[in-house]
């Protein structure tokens, strides 16, 4: 920070570091914990928080009406993300817990269990070291708004809330076929999940409460109070249709719990667009720059501007540009570094295309301190690339660009005077595509994670997808949380 200038300017490196390590989100989470726990020694509390808490671990509520397969999906989800599965039954089985013993005592006397007692039991489990380190998935609780408020008063706040739901008629029919293995506790179904072992089939029994009347009663009770849960977690919940194969349900649940919520942290876009010739990088960069007021950095355009300005640098690269030879990487990097170092790029952000084109250039850009936070690969089939490039032409009189298929010349006179750029020949395009494919895999690995975009469609559809990935936080990189 430069204290000699007004207003004070913060070094761009600080912003890159804070974004990379999630400093803002970490401080936000610590402040939330301080307000909830209200420790006597806040400083020591924050030190202990940093030592033991991993804010990236999953904290998930998996809710929904009866018979939606919550437990089945939860088991599959916990196996995929390596986290702890918590159910009310498993917590009540802990004979060492005073809260569990008190709830069991009240249950035996058919007395109502206070919501605060449930919340204390859940907090006891969530405070265990394994839940702190690996996270948790809580199944089937809370069921009402009052229970949700009791959890919130204890400082229990999920990162994601997943609600499985399906039409009542489907749930009633599904419940009628439910069977339980009384030895293992596994749940089966006469249609959807029947065991292959004859031994298991013989010991399956009908559970209590699966008649149509009882199921309808439970569903009506759930529908009566479900709006309270939605209101309690209206910014975090996501409803998944449970009337589909469990694999598809798991895929949608996994996609949601890997997403990150929108953050109010300062964010400066630093975008790189990769793709073969003719994929539309220039157009997408122009659209992004226009809408979000970021700087459009075109490598080729920068080099041409330097030559036209007749600067010392421009004179140095002029022979390469005029002879259509590649400009040395060191000189290209110098030109790009000068542009990206300017105040508008540092404060507003930038979108760059045309560089880097191989792993060596990518490493040089990284070493220079310019690190992108979004990297897109625009994918177009080779045949479509050749069709896009080789059939385009320019009217030398009016300067308009046309295409034999997508934008033909308006008259035969205009068509007759149109010229095709020699570099757009099919032979040159084949060579450019071979070079691109030779480097694309290394670049994808270098910039992992990258975002792949199908650019063989309407350019504004492509822009909408790119835009959504720019404004939303990137999902967690892997499906396994450590």
């Amino acid at each position: 920070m430069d204290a000699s200038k007004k207003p004070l300017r913060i070094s761009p490196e600080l912003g890159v570091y804070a974004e990379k390590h999630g400093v803002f989100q970490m401080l936000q989470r610590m402040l939330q914990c301080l307000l909830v726990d209200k420790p006597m020694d806040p400083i020591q509390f924050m030190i202990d928080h940093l030592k033991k808490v991993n804010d990236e671990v999953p904290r998930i509520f998996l809710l929904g009406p009866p018979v939606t397969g919550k437990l089945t999906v939860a088991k599959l989800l916990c196996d995929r993300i390596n986290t702890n599965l918590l159910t009310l039954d498993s917590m009540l089985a802990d004979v060492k817990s005073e809260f569990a013993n008190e709830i069991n005592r009240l249950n035996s006397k058919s007395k109502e269990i206070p919501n605060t007692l449930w919340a204390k039991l859940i907090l006891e489990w969530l405070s265990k070291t394994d839940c702190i380190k690996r996270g948790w998935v809580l199944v089937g609780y809370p069921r009402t708004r009052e229970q949700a408020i009791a959890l919130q008063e204890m400082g229990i706040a999920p990162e994601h809330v997943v609600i499985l739901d399906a039409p009542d008629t489907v749930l009633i029919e599904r419940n009628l076929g439910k069977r339980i293995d009384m030895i293992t506790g596994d749940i089966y179904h006469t249609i959807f999940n029947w065991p292959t072992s004859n031994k298991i089939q013989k010991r399956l029994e009908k559970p209590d409460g699966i008649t149509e009347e009882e199921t309808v009663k439970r569903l009506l009770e759930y529908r009566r109070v479900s709006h309270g849960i939605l209101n309690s977690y209206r910014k975090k919940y996501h409803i998944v249709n449970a009337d589909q194969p469990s694999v598809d349900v798991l895929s949608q649940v996994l996609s949601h719990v890997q997403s990150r919520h929108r953050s109010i942290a300062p964010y400066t876009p630093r975008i790189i667009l990769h793709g073969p010739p003719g994929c539309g990088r220039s157009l997408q960069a122009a659209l992004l720059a226009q809408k979000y007021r970021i700087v459009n950095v075109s490598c080729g355009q920068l080099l041409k501007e330097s030559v036209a300005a007749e600067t010392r640098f421009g004179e140095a690269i002029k022979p390469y540009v005029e002879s259509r030879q590649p400009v040395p990487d060191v000189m290209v990097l110098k030109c790009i570094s000068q542009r990206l170092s300017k105040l508008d790029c540092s404060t507003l952000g930038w979108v760059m295309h045309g560089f880097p084109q191989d792993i060596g250039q990518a490493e040089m850009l990284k070493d220079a301190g310019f690190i992108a936070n979004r990297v897109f690969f625009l994918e177009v089939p080779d045949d479509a690339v050749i069709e896009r490039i080789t059939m385009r032409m320019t009217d030398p009189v009016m300067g308009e660009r046309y295409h034999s298929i997508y934008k033909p010349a308006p008259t035969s006179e205009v068509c007759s005077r149109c010229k095709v750029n020699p570099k757009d020949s099919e032979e040159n395009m084949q060579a450019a595509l071979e070079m691109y494919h030779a480097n694309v895999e290394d670049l994808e690995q270098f910039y992992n994670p990258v975002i792949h975009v199908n650019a063989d469609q309407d350019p504004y559809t492509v822009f909408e997808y790119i835009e959504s990935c720019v404004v939303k936080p990137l999902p967690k990189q892997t499906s396994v949380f450590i």
Side-chain angles (χ1 to χ4, degrees), residues 420-465:
V420 177
N421 194 323
K423 71 175 184 178
D424 291 344
S425 66
E426 184 172 347
E427 182 181 353
N428 290 339
M429 285 302 102
Q430 290 286 3
L433 287 170
E434 289 178 4
M435 182 178 297
Y436 171 77
H437 291 307
N439 295 299
V440 63
E441 186 174 346
D442 291 337
L443 285 172
E444 288 177 354
Q445 293 178 357
F446 182 84
Y447 284 115
N448 186 48
V450 300
I451 303 171
H452 295 274
V453 183
N454 175 19
D456 190 20
Q457 52 185 330
D458 180 76
Y460 291 97
T461 302
V462 176
F463 173 70
E464 288 178 359
Y465 181 77

Side-chain angles (χ1 to χ4, degrees), residues 232-413:
S232 300
Y233 302 107
R234 58 182 177 272
K235 293 185 178 181
K236 293 187 176 181
Y237 77 83
H238 178 70
I239 298 177
V240 176
N241 178 21
D243 187 19
Q244 53 183 328
S246 57
V247 176
D248 296 330
V249 175
L250 174 63
S251 176
Q252 295 180 35
V253 172
L254 189 62
S255 175
H256 176 64
V257 302
Q258 285 182 312
S259 66
R260 289 185 171 95
H261 298 295
R262 294 287 292 271
S263 171
I264 59 175
Y267 171 62
T268 303
R270 300 184 301 277
I271 306 167
I272 293 180
L273 299 179
H274 284 289
C279 67
R281 291 170 300 177
S282 300
L283 175 58
Q284 298 303 326
L287 293 173
L288 286 170
Q290 180 183 16
K291 182 165 185 177
Y292 293 101
R293 300 181 183 276
I294 60 179
V295 181
N296 185 354
V297 181
S298 170
C299 177
Q301 188 64 27
L302 286 177
L303 296 177
K304 292 177 182 178
E305 290 176 357
S306 298
V307 173
E310 298 183 350
T311 61
R312 292 181 58 185
F313 177 78
E315 292 297 327
I317 66 172
K318 185 175 182 179
Y320 297 99
V321 175
E322 291 181 344
S323 61
R324 299 186 182 277
Q325 295 297 317
V327 179
D329 291 347
V330 176
M331 304 179 75
V332 175
L333 181 65
K334 180 181 178 181
C335 181
I336 291 177
S337 298
Q338 290 176 350
R339 185 65 188 92
L340 296 182
S341 299
K342 291 185 177 181
L343 183 60
D344 57 351
C345 285
S346 300
T347 56
L348 301 177
W350 45 265
V351 52
M352 182 167 61
H353 51 103
F355 190 91
Q357 296 181 347
D358 56 45
I359 188 67
Q361 294 178 352
E363 291 175 346
M364 292 172 64
L365 189 65
K366 180 181 178 181
D367 293 340
F370 302 107
I371 302 174
N373 49 25
R374 296 290 189 278
V375 179
F376 295 91
F377 280 79
L378 309 185
E379 299 178 343
V380 180
D382 289 357
D383 293 343
V385 168
I386 293 175
E387 181 183 90
R388 288 185 181 188
I389 300 296
T390 59
M391 294 186 179
R392 66 186 183 185
M393 48 193 172
T394 304
D395 180 0
V397 177
M398 303 301 296
E400 289 288 334
R401 300 182 69 176
Y402 299 101
H403 191 278
S404 300
I405 298 176
Y406 306 118
K407 188 185 177 182
T411 64
S412 57
E413 180 183 356

